[in-house]
Amino acid sequence: MNADLEPDDRLVQYLLGRMPEKERVELEGRLLRDEDLDQRLLAATDDLIHSYLVDALSAEDRAQFEAFFLATSENRDQLAAMRDFLVAIDRVSAGGATPAAHADSPRSRSWLLAAAVLVAATVAVVWAARRTGGQGPRITAGRSPSASPASVTKSPDPAPVASATATVSPRAPSPAGPAVQVVRLAGPAGAPVRVDLSPETQVVRVEVAVDAESPSFDAALLSGNGKSVWTARGRAAPATGEPLVLEVPATRFSSGPYRLRVEGEALREGTAPVLEYPLQAVRAVSASPR
Amino acid sequence: MSHETDRRWSLTAPALERLLRRLDGEPEAAAREYDAVRHKLIRFFERRGVAGPEVLADETIDRVARRLDEGERVDHLGAYFYGVARLVALEWRKRRAQEGVAQREYPRGGPVEAAEDRERRIACLERCLMRLPEESRALLVGYYRDRGEARKRLAESHGITYTTLKTRVCRLRMGLEGCLRDCLEAGEPPSPTTGRHHLGKRP
């Protein structure tokens, strides 16, 4: 049990369907009478979902979460709601809406420098894309405090060959450090999609447009030499129209090329649909304030 | 919106009587217990950010009364009420979502539209977060920024227990749902104060 789920681990066991029947019924009987207990259950539910989204559950808990907790549409809705909420929190945080007590701190200054590097890198990619007739992926960088959104849309070609969409969200210099870097992948794989990682980035949230047929998906992140550095198995299919969301700990990335492989569960005798996207991870060097 | 329940059955006098007997053998005590259960149910729905909690509390009571009237064996009435209340809340959310789809101005359904809908929800959430008092917003941001021991330190810095911090944050988050609902229903444009949400395809 991770520390974020303390001290309500019994409630977490209940949520994960591990509580013995007798104890479960007794608990549910108390939940209506005991408002405090019910409120703690709601909080434990939020924390459990959050832990899942940031990949902080053990493999066993994650499997149980997916098999039991996500079996109900109620809980899947809560997962989606929390996902949206975290993005909003991330944006508000990045927008400097929280108290700027550390606005001039060494840490934030180092972030500013890192952000400047990131913006420069983005400009370079944009420039390169234009120079080469736009062979790179569409890149939208719109989260930097010091840069207005810049975008390049590749290729007016009616038959797009590199239509992966990467949306990159560098973090703002706030004490609310942990960045969730969002990368959106849609359409057929093409040129490598850049994944920028600031020193504050903790999680890379990859949103993949997947078909509506497969009931579940396996995913693997492969390094340049083909070695698997991260895997996810049996992820439930997203709701129709929603992307498959993969939360990859940022620590799994170094600067360099990667491939993300997403394999759908085959139906009946069919062939398992497979998507592969080349990624290019770029770690911003942590800048010294001095 | 969404206050109409799927009632195809109305509470009858015999069913109510059976429920009261089940709550307590003595009529006055049963009436008090009925009021207590109803109050608990209202609070249950309020905690979940449901609009019109009284209506749904009555709906829950009616369903339980109906089951008892139909002879269903219910060993643990409290747990049964809880399970039915959860179901009623879920159905309310689904109705609300369906109404939201029906109220849209033009047909949608593809992945791009879904992404735009999601973007609108997130923009509304941003707007709602910005409307919170600064202290509350900072608490939410701090909580979801931190993990593990850092969260415990956050609780200490606010002079509250870790458990209290968790429930306070949870209440704050759920409190945003009403604001989110209002924002989506009002069709407010996604232009929160942070002003940065050009993710993916947006004109």
Side-chain angles (χ1 to χ4, degrees):
Chain A
M1 186 69 60
N2 74 47
D4 294 342
L5 300 178
E6 295 173 359
D8 285 322
D9 64 310
R10 288 308 296 162
L11 295 176
V12 172
Q13 298 310 316
Y14 165 74
L15 292 168
L16 291 177
R18 290 181 177 141
M19 189 173 269
E21 176 71 5
K22 187 178 174 189
E23 196 179 342
R24 180 186 67 78
V25 172
E26 185 186 315
L27 174 67
E28 290 184 347
R30 283 177 58 205
L31 283 168
L32 199 60
R33 296 194 309 269
D34 187 340
E35 287 191 23
D36 180 57
L37 181 65
D38 188 43
Q39 186 63 62
R40 278 170 47 205
L41 177 67
L42 294 175
T45 306
D46 275 2
D47 286 342
L48 179 62
I49 293 172
H50 182 238
S51 291
Y52 173 79
L53 287 174
V54 297
D55 209 14
L57 294 179
S58 68
E60 194 182 344
D61 285 350
R62 170 174 283 278
Q64 186 68 11
F65 182 92
E66 290 172 349
F68 181 84
F69 186 86
L70 292 184
T72 69
S73 61
E74 175 188 12
N75 291 340
R76 288 195 296 274
D77 288 348
Q78 287 195 57
L79 178 77
M82 175 61 80
R83 204 161 54 203
D84 291 349
F85 172 74
L86 292 176
V87 175
I89 281 278
D90 190 40
R91 290 186 191 174
V92 167
S93 167
T98 50
H102 306 287
D104 198 34
S105 69
R107 183 179 172 199
S108 64
R109 273 191 245 164
S110 72
W111 191 95
L112 278 172
L113 193 49
V117 170
L118 190 63
V119 169
T122 304
V123 170
V125 170
V126 169
W127 175 248
R130 287 187 175 159
R131 294 265 298 175
T132 59
Q135 293 303 308
R138 174 192 165 105
I139 297 176
T140 303
R143 310 274 299 132
S144 166
S146 55
S148 58
S151 69
V152 167
T153 304
K154 147 76 182 119
S155 163
D157 189 330
V161 292
S163 59
T165 298
T167 304
V168 186
S169 308
R171 297 294 295 263
S174 83
V180 178
Q181 192 79 331
V182 180
V183 177
R184 290 180 178 159
L185 304 171
V193 174
R194 185 183 170 108
V195 180
D196 288 298
L197 301 156
S198 77
E200 282 78 15
T201 306
Q202 291 190 348
V203 173
V204 176
R205 178 169 28 231
V206 185
E207 300 184 358
V208 188
V210 291
D211 68 79
E213 302 298 323
S214 301
S216 70
F217 294 86
D218 292 344
L221 181 67
L222 310 172
S223 64
N225 60 12
K227 183 182 173 188
S228 173
V229 296
W230 175 86
T231 59
R233 299 189 64 80
R235 295 294 170 87
T240 305
E242 293 285 321
L244 176 70
V245 175
L246 304 167
E247 304 270 356
V248 184
T251 52
R252 306 298 170 94
F253 289 93
S254 303
S255 285
Y258 289 84
R259 293 189 75 77
L260 180 71
R261 180 183 168 88
V262 178
E263 185 172 338
E265 182 184 340
L267 292 173
R268 300 189 186 89
E269 304 297 312
T271 307
V274 176
L275 296 168
E276 275 204 19
Y277 290 97
L279 307 175
Q280 182 69 34
V282 180
R283 276 203 172 275
V285 178
S286 185
S288 166
R290 299 187 178 193
Chain B
M1 169 176 153
S2 294
H3 289 164
E4 286 197 16
T5 56
D6 250 348
R7 293 191 188 201
R8 298 183 193 88
W9 180 89
S10 297
L11 183 63
T12 62
L16 177 61
E17 198 176 320
R18 189 184 293 267
L19 172 65
L20 289 171
R21 275 205 306 275
R22 180 66 194 269
L23 289 171
D24 201 297
E26 197 275 312
E28 276 193 27
R32 281 197 301 275
E33 184 62 17
Y34 179 94
D35 285 341
V37 167
R38 186 170 184 275
H39 176 72
K40 296 288 184 192
L41 285 169
I42 290 170
R43 296 282 299 130
F44 171 93
F45 290 116
E46 284 175 347
R47 283 193 296 279
R48 283 154 180 79
V50 169
E54 294 88 357
V55 176
L56 296 191
D58 290 339
E59 167 73 6
T60 305
I61 290 172
D62 287 5
R63 288 195 194 188
V64 172
R66 178 186 182 182
R67 293 299 179 202
L68 292 173
D69 193 45
E70 289 171 347
E72 186 160 322
R73 178 178 169 176
V74 176
D75 290 329
H76 301 86
L77 193 59
Y80 195 76
F81 263 115
Y82 179 78
V84 173
R86 277 186 60 185
L87 186 64
V88 169
L90 174 61
E91 289 175 359
W92 176 83
R93 286 185 196 286
K94 283 186 174 172
R95 277 199 303 277
R96 196 189 71 188
Q98 285 165 359
E99 286 172 9
V101 170
Q103 285 171 3
R104 288 194 186 111
E105 294 172 359
Y106 46 92
R108 310 171 78 95
V112 172
E113 287 80 7
E116 287 179 355
D117 284 348
R118 184 179 179 217
E119 184 61 35
R120 191 168 290 109
R121 284 197 304 275
I122 294 170
C124 277
L125 278 168
E126 263 187 275
R127 181 182 289 244
C128 293
L129 280 165
M130 295 307 295
R131 287 176 181 167
L132 283 176
E134 188 167 307
E135 189 184 349
S136 300
R137 187 169 59 246
L139 190 69
L140 274 173
V141 170
Y143 186 81
Y144 284 103
R145 171 195 63 199
D146 292 336
R147 304 280 310 281
E149 293 303 315
R151 282 187 174 177
K152 293 179 181 174
R153 287 195 294 275
L154 180 67
E156 286 172 13
S157 71
H158 281 77
I160 56 179
T161 66
Y162 190 32
T163 300
T164 302
L165 172 67
K166 283 169 171 281
T167 55
R168 188 174 294 179
V169 164
C170 179
R171 276 198 297 269
L172 281 171
R173 192 192 69 75
M174 295 201 120
L176 292 175
E177 291 199 1
C179 174
L180 171 64
R181 197 161 53 232
D182 293 343
C183 177
L184 291 173
E185 286 177 7
E188 292 181 38
S191 55
T193 49
T194 47
R196 283 189 266 275
H197 37 11
H198 280 277
L199 297 185
K201 292 183 181 177
R202 291 195 71 79

